[in-house]
Amino acid sequence: RLFAQAASAAAAIPSADPRREWYLERAQEGTVALSVAPGSAPALSLAPWTGPDLPGSIASTYKYRLVVTGAPGTRVGLATAGLPQRWIGSFCTDRVCAPFRTSVVMPANGVKVVEFQVVPTTERKGPVNVRIDATSGGRTVATVRKVVNV
């Protein structure tokens, strides 16, 4: 809960502040650290992407670092919802991108980092609500929401 509050506080920092992304990443890492303990429920964390762009990224794309946690060997399905009509949510792992949904197998350390891209294909002003759901065994196990200001 405290790391979620830290993430909210970091998100309120003006985007021009060079430390904003650093605070968001630290809050995300704290959330992830708490959710990799044995017996913990799967978790999702979403923060601005700070790594190198994957092939095919374009300047108008909104890029995020999606961290998925879960028991090693577990298959976790990821799907996005809430995007404006004709916008594309793309999950990129291991240099392969999949639009709207994908699945990942959790590695031995229980943490998988995915580049999540939102590709706007139409003009829009104002906030866009993005939701990512994680499923395992046929049920939703975690959800993360993000408001993208365009």
Side-chain angles (χ1 to χ4, degrees):
R1 177 178 150 113
L2 291 176
F3 288 114
Q5 290 173 335
S8 291
I13 296 171
S15 59
D17 187 319
R19 301 293 287 172
R20 180 179 190 267
E21 305 306 320
W22 184 86
Y23 286 119
L24 283 168
E25 274 191 17
R26 297 293 93 59
Q28 182 185 56
E29 288 171 357
T31 300
V32 168
L34 290 176
S35 61
V36 295
S40 296
L44 297 174
S45 182
L46 192 64
W49 181 263
T50 56
D53 287 344
L54 292 178
S57 290
I58 56 176
S60 63
T61 300
Y62 299 94
K63 299 170 190 82
Y64 297 94
R65 179 178 178 234
L66 174 64
V67 178
V68 184
T69 66
T74 302
R75 180 173 295 278
V76 177
L78 301 170
T80 186
L83 294 175
Q85 188 174 10
R86 293 190 292 259
W87 281 31
I88 300 166
S90 180
F91 298 94
C92 300
T93 60
D94 306 319
R95 301 206 177 269
V96 175
C97 296
F100 305 111
R101 65 183 61 247
T102 193
S103 66
V104 296
V105 175
M106 298 308 301
N109 67 2
V111 178
K112 181 73 174 174
V113 177
V114 177
E115 181 180 359
F116 176 70
Q117 302 178 11
V118 176
V119 182
T121 60
T122 58
E123 188 73 27
R124 181 174 171 120
K125 300 282 187 223
V128 171
N129 295 303
V130 177
R131 186 180 87 225
I132 299 172
D133 295 317
T135 58
S136 184
R139 63 182 181 90
T140 300
V141 293
T143 298
V144 66
R145 291 176 172 79
K146 175 82 174 166
V147 176
V148 178
N149 290 308
V150 294

